[in-house]
Amino acid sequence: MQHGFEGASISRIVDAAGCNVRMIYHYFGNKAGLYRVCIAQAYDKLRQAEADATFWELPPDQAIAALVRFTFDYMVENPAFQGLMRIENMASAQQVRDLDAVNTRARNLFAAIDLVLARGAASGVFTQRPDPGMLYLSILGLATIHVANQHTMSVVLGRDLAEAGFLRARRDEVQRVVLASLMAP
């Protein structure tokens, strides 16, 4: 992934994986087939973790706070996922567009968020009820910017964005911002 899709030759992949080149062609057809499986598995891992999360039935503000923490922690712990997203975005989502299971599971995530937002609005905890996809996009953006720009922003801010204390403070800030947006007058 560090070389991008175009720079990841089959020989580099074989060397890094310690496998047989014929097996890649046998199981995946070509490099694009292997990439498609990798991107599907990466998204499936994230969506399964979201579906398995136990916070969905918490009180609405606690559920959204837990979703923020979950998303933040997942992105910090899985920086390769963001790398795959960048590569796929540079290719105009060519593979993700056709991954029905990935897209169905994303709709399930948005439905789960919508249920939490509905409970929050009905109980008066949330004064705002954004589109669930828009809210998730905000959470994702806030939960990834420090990873995607870790090196440059560490220099600009004069602090290590991978340091545990920074990550705790950043996660708290993201959670505060998201909840404040839902509870704004």
Side-chain angles (χ1 to χ4, degrees):
M1 184 182 60
Q2 75 186 63
H3 301 286
F5 180 79
E6 296 303 323
S9 67
I10 290 292
S11 62
R12 273 188 173 149
I13 294 167
V14 166
D15 289 345
C19 66
N20 183 310
V21 69
R22 287 184 304 253
M23 291 289 107
I24 289 179
Y25 288 108
H26 173 75
Y27 286 105
F28 306 107
N30 55 28
K31 181 174 76 169
L34 174 60
Y35 171 72
R36 184 180 177 90
V37 168
C38 289
I39 200 112
Q41 286 181 347
Y43 273 96
D44 188 56
K45 180 182 170 191
L46 170 60
R47 296 294 173 239
Q48 188 62 52
E50 290 164 342
D52 291 345
T54 60
F55 52 75
W56 295 107
E57 297 304 320
L58 291 172
D61 56 335
Q62 292 177 33
I64 294 296
L67 173 62
V68 168
R69 290 189 305 271
F70 168 88
T71 304
F72 187 97
D73 293 345
Y74 191 92
M75 294 303 156
V76 168
E77 294 163 8
N78 296 278
F81 180 78
Q82 287 188 63
L84 283 171
M85 285 194 306
R86 278 191 302 277
I87 291 167
E88 188 60 9
N89 276 299
M90 290 183 344
S92 301
Q94 193 172 16
Q95 299 300 322
V96 170
R97 183 180 324 280
D98 297 327
L99 295 175
D100 292 333
V102 168
N103 297 315
T104 298
R105 292 185 88 175
R107 286 188 294 276
N108 294 341
L109 169 67
F110 301 145
I113 293 170
D114 195 43
L115 287 173
V116 173
L117 293 173
R119 288 190 298 117
S123 68
V125 171
F126 298 149
T127 57
Q128 306 296 316
R129 188 172 173 196
D131 173 84
M134 293 293 274
L135 178 62
Y136 184 72
L137 189 59
S138 295
I139 292 169
L140 189 61
L142 291 168
T144 60
I145 190 74
H146 59 282
V147 176
N149 296 292
Q150 174 185 345
H151 303 293
T152 55
M153 290 309 296
S154 287
V155 171
V156 170
L157 295 174
R159 62 189 304 183
D160 182 1
L161 272 59
E163 190 266 321
F166 172 83
L167 291 173
R168 278 191 304 277
R170 177 68 184 157
R171 187 173 84 159
D172 290 347
E173 175 69 3
V174 171
Q175 181 178 298
R176 186 191 64 72
V177 166
V178 170
L179 287 175
S181 76
L182 296 173
M183 298 173 179

